[in-house]
Amino acid sequence: MTVPRTVRQEVYDADPDAVVTQSPAWSDALAGRGHRDVSRLYTLPDGRRLVLPLVGRAGLSEESWPYAWGYGGAVVEGGELTVADARLVLDDLRRRPALLRSVVPMPLRGAVWAEAAGADARRVPYTAQVVDLAPGWDELWARGFRRQARNSVRKAERFDLDVRRETGADPDARGLDVFRTLYAQSVDRWAADRGQPLPLARALAARRDRPGQVAAAARALGERCVVWSVLRDGEPVAANVVLHEPGTRHALGWMCAMDTTGIARETLATYLLHSLAIRDACAAGARWFHMGESDAGSGPEHFKRYFGAVAVPYAALRFERLPFSRAEQAARSALGAVSRWRRAS
């Protein structure tokens, strides 16, 4: 039986470490993309309630959440998630009939989930980059940000840039269109960089439909979905999507896109947008700013360090009745082989 929405909201509100992607409103965004709410409610031995936000697809999967839908995992009254609590949830998920069951925990709770998982849980490793906002904006700017970031923001401010902060509640917001345009540019650039056939890259991107995800999140979250966008002389330059419920501890830098023609590098607009988003999160009372996942040693990981982000390793946990992970890995390997062949030919 579906967990009553009022109960989900009560438990979410009672967890000081809840993130907006664990809210009932986030489930609305997924429902708009073909997922069904199958969240689970538990009563712990000490009487506290725990909810695992969960969505399913026709008995094939039950996930918290599907890939690229942010952080799931449990919310619990009082906020203290123990290993025993996580084990209770995983034991229940292990028995569920769906072919694929998974949890993508909030990274700062990842260690609890990892300790609770048994040997049969398939671990998918990630590394998140997280900024500690405890010092406050002034201290972060002066000492948390590296000189490269501060100088780049100052240089960006000298350009005649049209910067806007809009939310999903703004009826005439331009940010979604800016993101859609820049994302399409990025797909073509990634195809060229990887040696992928352009029609294949565009077909895969259409199937994932990241702009559609952002639009669904904006509709569901309203003011809790902030879209930062930059234009120069009317041309899209960069867009950042940040999810945060004011007064909660976690702001999530969810998706971003940038111009591929060189304007973004020239204007340093991405530095400016990340700086504004972090300052905004500080003003809204956030304790942590999550900048998303990046491979260790990669360019994106290096960029995030400029803003004081530190690496937080964690793992998504999956239970599979069929070898989905191996199939996904084989598909990625096949695409990689095609890309290498095209670059060499």
Side-chain angles (χ1 to χ4, degrees):
M1 187 170 75
T2 302
V3 182
R5 189 182 183 92
T6 54
V7 173
R8 282 198 59 191
Q9 189 67 49
E10 288 169 1
V11 177
Y12 169 78
D13 291 339
D15 187 339
D17 262 324
V19 297
V20 71
T21 53
Q22 295 171 315
S23 68
W26 192 248
S27 295
D28 296 340
L30 281 118
R33 304 288 292 169
H35 298 274
R36 182 170 58 92
D37 183 9
V38 291
S39 298
R40 305 285 286 169
L41 172 65
Y42 309 84
T43 300
L44 301 176
D46 60 6
R48 292 177 301 148
R49 292 176 298 178
L50 181 153
V51 170
L52 177 68
L54 197 66
V55 292
R57 278 188 181 273
L60 297 176
S61 64
E62 292 186 352
E63 301 178 270
S64 182
W65 297 116
Y67 179 74
W69 276 101
Y71 304 133
V75 288
V76 57
E77 289 178 316
E80 184 181 353
L81 180 73
T82 68
V83 172
D85 299 336
R87 186 174 293 122
L88 172 71
V89 172
L90 292 175
D91 286 345
D92 178 54
L93 203 60
R94 185 180 281 111
R95 294 188 293 266
R96 300 288 295 166
L99 298 177
L100 169 65
R101 294 132 292 147
S102 70
V103 173
V104 182
M106 191 267 287
L108 297 179
R109 278 182 169 172
V112 172
W113 288 96
E115 186 175 346
D120 61 331
R122 182 177 291 274
R123 291 162 168 81
V124 182
Y126 294 103
T127 301
Q129 279 73 42
V130 184
V131 182
D132 184 351
L133 304 182
W137 169 250
D138 292 339
E139 184 69 13
L140 282 171
W141 172 260
R143 295 178 177 80
F145 285 20
R146 295 187 181 181
R147 183 181 302 173
Q148 168 77 14
R150 295 195 301 272
N151 289 343
S152 295
V153 171
R154 293 186 182 109
K155 290 176 182 177
E157 290 173 336
R158 298 187 191 120
F159 287 92
D160 185 17
L161 299 176
D162 178 6
V163 181
R164 292 190 190 177
R165 178 195 185 278
E166 299 166 315
T167 76
D170 297 330
D172 300 317
R174 75 177 189 197
L176 295 180
D177 287 336
V178 173
F179 179 85
R180 184 178 296 107
T181 298
L182 295 176
Y183 182 77
Q185 287 184 21
S186 297
V187 170
D188 291 357
R189 183 193 66 203
W190 295 331
D193 291 345
R194 298 167 182 168
Q196 283 183 350
L198 187 57
L200 174 61
R202 287 178 174 173
L204 291 173
R207 185 173 184 274
R208 296 178 183 126
D209 190 15
R210 301 295 183 239
Q213 281 185 257
V214 174
R219 287 192 299 270
L221 295 184
E223 294 183 355
R224 292 165 289 181
C225 177
V226 176
V227 183
W228 295 89
S229 62
V230 179
L231 300 184
R232 186 190 186 192
D233 297 330
E235 293 295 320
V237 180
N240 281 9
V241 182
V242 179
L243 310 175
H244 180 227
E245 185 145 14
T248 62
R249 293 179 179 178
H250 301 273
L252 310 182
W254 183 39
M255 290 198 188
C256 60
M258 60 180 284
D259 163 82
T260 62
T261 67
I263 301 175
R265 287 192 297 273
E266 177 191 353
T267 62
L268 300 169
T270 55
Y271 285 91
L272 178 60
L273 280 197
H274 280 85
S275 172
L276 291 171
I278 291 171
R279 185 176 69 181
D280 194 52
C282 288
R287 174 66 169 77
W288 306 96
F289 190 92
H290 297 254
M291 298 189 76
E293 285 66 38
S294 302
D295 293 334
S298 67
E301 191 257 359
H302 191 66
F303 172 81
K304 294 168 187 177
R305 285 186 184 179
Y306 288 144
F307 298 92
V310 298
V312 180
Y314 73 105
L317 303 173
R318 305 178 70 166
F319 300 100
E320 302 175 348
R321 301 191 190 281
L322 294 175
F324 291 102
S325 294
R326 286 202 295 273
E328 291 167 2
Q329 186 175 3
R332 287 194 296 269
S333 297
L335 284 173
V338 170
S339 299
R340 289 191 295 273
W341 176 79
R342 285 176 59 88
R343 286 196 296 266
S345 60

